[in-house]
Amino acid sequence: MNSPGNLPANLSLQPHPTARDKAVSICQLSSGTIIVSVPSLTNLLLPKEKGRRCDFCLSFPLQDQDRLQRCSGCASYWYCDSKCQTLHWRAHKKYCKNLNAFCASHHFNQLESHEKLDALLLTHLLAECSAKSTEGDDSGSSIFMSLLPGPVSGKDAPPTCPLSTTHRPVNSASELFSRCGNNNFSIHSRLNTIAHGVFPLASRLFNHSCVPNAVAKYRLTRAKEVVMEIVAIRDITPGDEICIPYVDPALVETRQQMFRFTYGFTCSCPSCAALERIDTSLPVPDKEDLTSLATSLRDFVFPDPSPDGIQLPCSPVNLGTIPPDVLRVFRESCLTSLSESFSNLSHDGPFESALDVGLKMLAFYVVIYPPNYPQIGMHLLEMAKTAWNAFITMEGVDPLTRSEGLKLLAQVGTYLRLGSQIWAVIGPEGDEGPLAEIQVLERLLRASKGRSNVVSKV
């Protein structure tokens, strides 16, 4: 077993019956513990973020900045300031002058959108490996090359931008690309993907689980390289394997295909085994059927859906306990339909309908995701915001004098409390993140409760 040289002190690598090996905790890790911090070997902003975020640290410009500073060489990369540009220059200079010609080439433009991202990420990786070779530092690249190639390792590497350097990377583009597809991560802020990145140590250490006990989050700091943090989302005892999700567990129908194609394995966890009970050859539930199924799931998960009665499970829900007739709701199109309905209603109203759909989504989430999973926390924050919007837009007399208004405030408090508990475990994520929004809502709620006390006394 070849262990990476910088194995964290709280972990050990042990044999695994089917995977290469497994990362096992050698001490008690409480929920919220940062298990390991991993700097990116390289990363690439998505096109929609170009010019909005720094190409080095991925941060937004400061509030007193009009805009980011553009590279005068290629005019295609933007930076917070000269410091970020200087830090990025060690690798960026290797493709800067050739980038525009490459991106305008027929070879590049005949690629699909995702293939263009592959080509540019591979260019970044080649440039970074070249820079490390020049500096005599192969720490990140050596761990990356120790990773197993993906199951489609015979696929040709995409074209890459020619590098302006005499220090060629030790490994070829094909060797690097064979490890890229199954070892690059979606970098997110507020759970929205903003970039792709390579974090070799995380890839080397952690196996997948559909019901993980840890998740990856990202810290974006001005003039600093992006850092992935693996955080425990529940207590981990010595001897427990630490696993993260390779794909979104909510991809209940396509996750197995992704595992086989991208990672070369089939998952046999209890969640996947339970989902095999669903006959996907049957038609997807129609709107009326979906409403009925989602309501049944809500009633099963939350027998008392009142603000005082809603409780989140303390341990992962066993999908095998879901009534067979309700299990049909676990189709990806059903969650998509609920999500779109909640999004539209929470923006345009009526907010009461949004809260009804949102609670059904929450039931779906707490069954599919383990406790303290970020998506549950984010959804609870959106539910709290929706309940607040319903409260402040009530027509007629002061809402604090009406039972409906007080009930909405109770909903705000419940969703905010439950969401805060999850984000207290996850901690800061991406940019300023959900914690700042939670603090704003808490202040508004305290002020409204103060007014409520005054009104009730009058």
Side-chain angles (χ1 to χ4, degrees):
M1 184 188 323
N2 296 320
S3 299
N6 48 351
L7 186 68
N10 53 8
L11 302 179
S12 69
L13 282 180
Q14 298 182 7
H16 188 281
T18 56
R20 188 178 188 178
D21 41 47
K22 60 182 180 180
V24 172
S25 174
I26 60 176
C27 60
Q28 182 73 26
L29 298 173
S30 302
S31 62
T33 299
I34 303 299
I35 299 168
V36 63
S37 296
V38 184
S40 69
L41 178 58
T42 191
N43 49 255
L44 174 75
L45 274 176
L46 295 184
K48 66 184 179 69
E49 300 292 340
K50 293 288 286 185
R52 300 179 66 243
R53 294 178 178 272
C54 174
D55 276 283
F56 174 69
C57 68
L58 309 190
S59 298
F60 284 124
L62 295 175
Q63 291 185 349
D64 59 356
Q65 281 183 281
D66 290 336
R67 61 181 64 87
L68 297 170
Q69 298 179 10
R70 181 181 288 195
C71 173
S72 60
C74 64
S76 297
Y77 282 61
W78 286 261
Y79 301 98
C80 295
D81 50 31
S82 59
K83 185 175 182 180
C84 281
Q85 184 170 16
T86 299
L87 290 168
H88 201 221
W89 184 244
R90 50 185 291 282
H92 179 65
K93 66 183 178 183
K94 298 180 181 295
Y95 52 84
C96 179
K97 74 175 186 178
N98 298 324
L99 183 67
N100 289 331
F102 171 68
C103 291
S105 68
H106 172 72
H107 206 180
F108 180 79
N109 281 292
Q110 68 181 1
L111 299 175
E112 300 289 340
S113 296
H114 70 278
E115 293 174 323
K116 290 180 179 179
L117 290 176
D118 287 343
L120 292 173
L121 182 62
L122 184 56
T123 295
H124 281 207
L125 185 56
L126 285 163
E128 185 61 39
C129 290
S130 172
K132 285 186 173 294
S133 175
T134 303
E135 299 158 357
D137 173 17
D138 69 345
S139 54
S141 53
S142 63
I143 297 175
F144 181 76
M145 288 308 300
S146 76
L147 304 176
L148 297 176
V152 290
S153 56
K155 181 180 177 182
D156 291 337
T160 56
C161 179
L163 302 185
S164 302
T165 179
T166 56
H167 292 272
R168 309 302 302 175
V170 174
N171 302 104
S172 68
S174 295
E175 289 176 312
L176 294 172
F177 181 67
S178 69
R179 292 160 173 81
C180 256
N182 59 329
N183 291 297
N184 84 74
F185 294 81
S186 295
I187 300 173
H188 48 74
S189 177
R190 291 182 52 82
L191 306 187
N192 294 315
T193 300
I194 60 172
H196 290 285
V198 176
F199 300 84
L201 185 59
S203 295
R204 179 66 182 85
L205 292 178
F206 302 109
N207 292 324
H208 163 81
S209 173
C210 296
V211 190
N213 54 11
V215 294
K217 66 172 183 174
Y218 301 89
R219 297 300 301 271
L220 309 182
T221 307
R222 284 177 64 86
K224 301 285 187 181
E225 58 193 350
V226 181
V227 172
M228 170 197 283
E229 294 178 339
I230 302 297
V231 58
I233 58 173
R234 58 179 181 269
D235 293 345
I236 298 173
T237 58
D240 286 350
E241 181 181 6
I242 298 171
C243 294
I244 62 175
Y246 287 2
V247 303
D248 186 348
L251 297 173
V252 290
E253 293 179 90
T254 55
R255 58 162 92 149
Q256 289 284 17
Q257 180 182 355
M258 296 175 71
F259 295 149
R260 290 191 295 268
F261 180 78
T262 306
Y263 302 102
F265 69 84
T266 299
C267 185
S268 57
C269 74
S271 173
C272 287
L275 290 172
E276 288 180 357
R277 295 162 51 201
I278 302 174
D279 187 353
T280 55
S281 66
L282 295 176
V284 174
D286 59 24
K287 185 175 181 179
E288 183 177 347
D289 197 15
L290 173 57
T291 299
S292 175
L293 288 170
T295 300
S296 297
L297 179 65
R298 180 202 64 195
D299 294 343
F300 176 82
V301 176
F302 303 119
D304 179 2
S306 68
D308 293 332
I310 294 175
Q311 296 182 3
L312 300 183
C314 298
S315 58
V317 175
N318 181 357
L319 264 169
T321 65
I322 304 297
D325 57 325
V326 178
L327 201 61
R328 292 191 300 119
V329 77
F330 290 96
R331 304 286 293 270
E332 289 176 23
S333 60
C334 291
L335 179 57
T336 299
S337 179
L338 289 172
S339 180
E340 290 176 351
S341 178
F342 175 71
S343 178
N344 292 335
L345 290 169
S346 63
H347 284 89
D348 304 326
F351 295 124
E352 291 76 8
S353 298
L355 291 169
D356 177 65
V357 175
L359 190 57
K360 294 170 183 174
M361 274 186 68
L362 182 62
F364 194 111
Y365 279 173
V366 300
V367 170
I368 288 296
Y369 295 122
N372 295 324
Y373 204 80
Q375 271 80 355
I376 301 177
M378 187 64 76
H379 183 62
L380 284 163
L381 175 56
E382 293 302 316
M383 290 279 285
K385 290 160 62 177
T386 300
W388 176 257
N389 287 337
F391 171 74
I392 63 174
T393 56
M394 288 186 68
E395 297 180 353
V397 298
D398 189 333
L400 290 173
T401 65
R402 297 168 56 181
S403 60
E404 301 98 315
L406 297 176
K407 180 181 177 181
L408 286 170
L409 277 187
Q411 287 180 290
V412 176
T414 294
Y415 298 136
L416 199 55
R417 173 177 54 82
L418 296 174
S420 297
Q421 291 171 358
I422 293 176
W423 285 109
V425 171
I426 303 299
E429 184 268 347
D431 298 302
E432 196 171 32
L435 291 173
E437 288 189 70
I438 287 173
Q439 291 172 357
V440 171
L441 269 177
E442 286 176 337
R443 288 197 298 269
L444 293 171
L445 185 60
R446 283 195 299 268
S448 293
K449 285 184 175 179
R451 283 188 58 217
S452 175
N453 291 334
V454 173
V455 170
S456 63
K457 290 176 181 178
V458 173

